[in-house]
Amino acid sequence: MALPLVFFGLFFAYPVAAITGRGLKTGSGWQFGRIGEVLARPDIADVLWFTTWQALASTALTLLVALPGAYVFARFEFPGKQLLRAVVTVPFVLPTVVVGTAFLALVGRGGLLDELWGVRLDTTVWAILLAHVFFNYAVVVRTVGGLWAQLDPRQEEAARVLGAGRFAAWRRVTLPALGPAVAAAALMVFLFTFSSFGVVQILGGPAYATLEVEVYRQTAQLLDLPTAAVLTLVQFAAVGAILAVHARTVRRRESALRLVDPARTAHRVRGAGQRALLGGVLLTVFLLILLPIGVLVERSFDAAGGYGLDYYRALQDEGAGGGTFLVPPLEAIWNSLEYALAATAIALLIGGLAAAALTRRAGRLVRGFDALLMLPLGVSAVTVGFGFLITLDEPPLDLRTSWILVPLAQALVGVPFVVRTMLPVLRAVDGRLREAAAVLGASPLRAWREVDLPLVRRALLVAAGFAFAVSLGEFGATVFIARPDRPTLPVAVARLLGRAGELNYGQAMALSTILMLVCAVSLLVLDRLRPDRTSGEF
């Protein structure tokens, strides 16, 4: 547990504490009175209110849309189910910049709806809510559907034999069993939407700002560090409370249920009602997920002279972005791949050690460590990125000009995915096997290599795939620390979208399409590797 603690202490707690301290501390000492002053400002109150209610609305809308999908994917067998299940997961690992770009191509100025019916939703809250549902649909389908597929249907059948109606049996037997999973999924969706950055930045315009967007604005545009520090503390407290509740619901789910093989619960679609439900879910997936992705791809080929590869060819031209880049935008692809590979290696090392420690130890301290590992998912990535710049600038940690700075920031986001993927599998390993190996004279390293590694190899590959995908899409911290001559794909997309002109817009669509394809291939590969009997959170 020592190495993960040192890693999080140096590269997460230290930068966040430093940027917070720089905002609240002056030559005369700490100025905690600033907290009250900032929170009393009407503009900040508006940001807090919008952050909260849009997260609540996004969560409710996501549950409403995705729960039928969770049931269909859990209990129905139909052609193409595995492929479609992987496809609906693609938005979750897409960079928020790409999600925003996809919806901009659908509902923005000059988008598909604008061309067909003159309908525009950009700069409205509806675009933000729809994008959040698009982004988090897979969280509910995977978290709730994964458990739903493993619930023993004989319990509900027994209730019906005893006289309960279909709805009463579902309400009294299945719903209580699913409750913790639904709550866990809702809390994760609330967490992701509460700290939303790229989607709100692109689709909301100047009228809407979440806490994360406001931290970025106060830090990068207004240079008002005291206000940014207060907002970071508020977000930190909110995320900590959400994660504490989430950890409690996860423990309830793991301890209270007896699960069966998913293959025993799935069946072919029967009757008009089930066909209608399947049709409704497929239509929702088409309109909500496939259509924005399809429009994004279509716009990447729709050049001024007709459909073609013009925007893709322009990515090789250094001057095509109107001076936006010091290098051709195409180099962002290789930069992103190199950074993501390094970040994945770091995340696997730190996350693997942390998961092993959580498996073999118990107690409040360990549970607190578990919650600490999840904090980077919700705490302002903007704060982390800016904190990197002001703390890692002196020997022996003078990393400002080092390439490793970007992978370190991306690994902070990848570690929680590694831990949450590895933990259920490691806990399922019979400890008596390790004890037998130790009795036979195996060292701890050899016991891990001979006992644990063969059992967790597939989960390790799945964790690597998730860490790679989220590292590719990390934007909030990278936008601060990526060097101008080595931009990543999300940073390049955001810079192109920030400039006027059809060519810049087309190149942004082309880069987003490339990034989406890389993420989708990673998802499809890891979905085939996924262990059969896991109901993990991702």
Side-chain angles (χ1 to χ4, degrees):
M1 198 157 59
L3 187 58
L5 278 174
V6 170
F7 178 81
F8 272 85
L10 274 180
F11 300 116
F12 178 68
Y14 178 43
V16 172
I19 195 76
T20 305
R22 183 164 293 200
L24 294 179
K25 193 175 182 180
T26 64
S28 57
W30 288 92
Q31 305 295 322
F32 292 110
R34 286 179 175 173
I35 296 177
E37 294 172 7
V38 171
L39 294 181
R41 285 166 45 184
D43 58 327
I44 298 300
D46 289 342
V47 169
L48 290 171
W49 170 240
F50 175 73
T51 303
T52 304
W53 83 255
Q54 68 81 25
L56 286 171
S58 297
T59 304
L61 200 57
T62 304
L63 288 176
L64 183 68
V65 173
L67 279 177
Y71 176 77
V72 165
F73 281 102
R75 291 299 172 86
F76 290 175
E77 285 290 354
F78 54 91
K81 175 181 169 180
Q82 292 300 326
L83 177 62
L84 199 60
R85 191 171 185 269
V87 168
V88 301
T89 311
V90 168
F92 181 63
V93 297
L94 284 181
T96 53
V97 173
V98 175
V99 174
T101 309
F103 273 79
L104 206 59
L106 181 64
V107 301
R109 183 178 183 181
L112 182 65
L113 298 186
D114 190 19
E115 290 179 353
L116 292 178
W117 299 297
V119 175
R120 282 185 56 190
L121 296 177
D122 58 321
T123 69
T124 73
V125 73
W126 288 108
I128 296 172
L129 295 180
L130 286 174
H132 283 163
V133 176
F134 169 86
F135 188 73
N136 292 296
Y137 186 88
V139 176
V140 178
V141 168
R142 293 229 170 216
T143 306
V144 181
L147 179 64
W148 213 333
Q150 297 179 71
L151 289 182
D152 192 346
R154 290 176 299 183
Q155 297 177 5
E156 192 172 317
E157 293 168 3
R160 296 195 64 189
V161 168
L162 293 173
R166 183 185 295 273
F167 179 72
W170 180 82
R171 182 170 58 84
R172 294 179 180 178
V173 177
T174 303
L175 184 58
L178 286 177
V182 175
L187 285 166
M188 289 309 294
V189 174
F190 184 83
L191 176 66
F192 292 139
T193 51
F194 188 83
S195 57
S196 183
F197 176 58
V199 167
V200 179
Q201 182 86 334
I202 292 175
L203 294 175
Y208 298 103
T210 56
L211 268 175
E212 183 82 355
V213 173
E214 190 62 20
V215 169
Y216 176 76
R217 196 171 75 91
Q218 296 290 340
T219 304
Q221 298 176 2
L222 304 179
L223 302 178
D224 186 352
L225 286 185
T227 300
V230 171
L231 295 181
T232 298
L233 288 176
V234 171
Q235 189 167 354
F236 193 86
V239 169
I242 295 168
L243 289 178
V245 178
H246 178 264
R248 189 173 179 181
T249 59
V250 169
R251 283 199 299 277
R252 283 183 59 198
R253 185 182 61 181
E254 289 177 344
S255 60
L257 299 175
R258 179 177 296 173
L259 306 178
V260 299
D261 190 338
R264 290 172 50 190
T265 65
H267 58 78
R268 291 182 178 277
V269 179
R270 297 187 293 262
Q274 292 188 358
R275 291 193 187 91
L277 178 59
L278 175 61
V281 168
L282 294 179
L283 182 63
T284 301
V285 169
F286 172 77
L287 292 176
L288 187 67
I289 294 177
L290 297 182
L291 187 58
I293 291 175
V295 173
L296 174 69
V297 175
E298 187 266 343
R299 288 292 188 267
S300 73
F301 292 103
D302 188 12
Y307 286 103
L309 297 173
D310 294 13
Y311 294 140
Y312 290 88
R313 293 194 189 97
L315 295 176
Q316 304 174 50
D317 184 1
E318 184 178 327
T324 307
F325 302 102
L326 300 178
V327 296
L330 196 63
E331 287 195 13
I333 300 172
W334 312 117
N335 296 336
S336 283
L337 291 175
E338 290 173 5
Y339 287 143
L341 285 173
T344 302
I346 298 170
L348 283 179
L349 174 65
I350 301 299
L353 289 173
L358 290 170
T359 305
R360 301 184 185 192
R361 300 185 182 186
R364 290 186 177 180
L365 182 62
V366 173
R367 289 200 294 272
F369 176 59
D370 192 4
L372 171 69
L373 296 173
M374 297 287 287
L375 277 178
L377 287 183
V379 170
S380 170
V382 172
T383 301
V384 174
F386 194 52
F388 268 34
L389 289 182
I390 66 169
T391 56
L392 305 180
D393 60 343
E394 295 179 358
L397 281 175
D398 186 4
L399 302 176
R400 277 186 305 176
T401 58
S402 172
W403 66 274
I404 197 66
L405 206 58
V406 174
L408 285 172
Q410 293 175 344
L412 284 172
V413 187
V415 167
F417 289 89
V418 174
V419 172
R420 299 258 73 86
T421 305
M422 296 289 298
L423 205 51
V425 182
L426 282 173
R427 282 174 174 163
V429 176
D430 192 340
R432 290 173 297 183
L433 295 175
R434 300 190 192 102
E435 295 171 4
V439 169
L440 293 173
S443 64
L445 179 60
R446 185 173 182 185
W448 177 82
R449 193 178 67 233
E450 301 292 339
V451 175
D452 292 86
L453 184 58
L455 296 173
V456 304
R457 184 180 292 126
R458 293 183 72 187
L460 198 63
L461 291 172
V462 172
F466 264 120
F468 180 75
V470 298
S471 298
L472 273 178
E474 206 289 323
F475 174 65
T478 308
V479 70
F480 271 96
I481 56 182
R483 288 162 41 186
D485 60 337
R486 295 206 67 188
T488 64
L489 275 171
V491 172
V493 171
R495 287 180 185 171
L496 286 168
L497 284 176
R499 297 183 66 87
E502 188 176 342
L503 180 59
N504 290 325
Y505 180 78
Q507 288 183 93
M509 296 293 160
L511 273 181
S512 297
T513 301
I514 293 171
L515 182 51
M516 184 176 64
L517 284 176
V518 175
C519 292
V521 170
S522 303
L523 249 294
L524 289 171
V525 171
L526 70 87
D527 209 56
R528 289 189 173 277
L529 295 171
R530 178 176 290 278
D532 294 331
R533 285 182 57 83
T534 58
S535 57
E537 293 162 57
F538 301 110

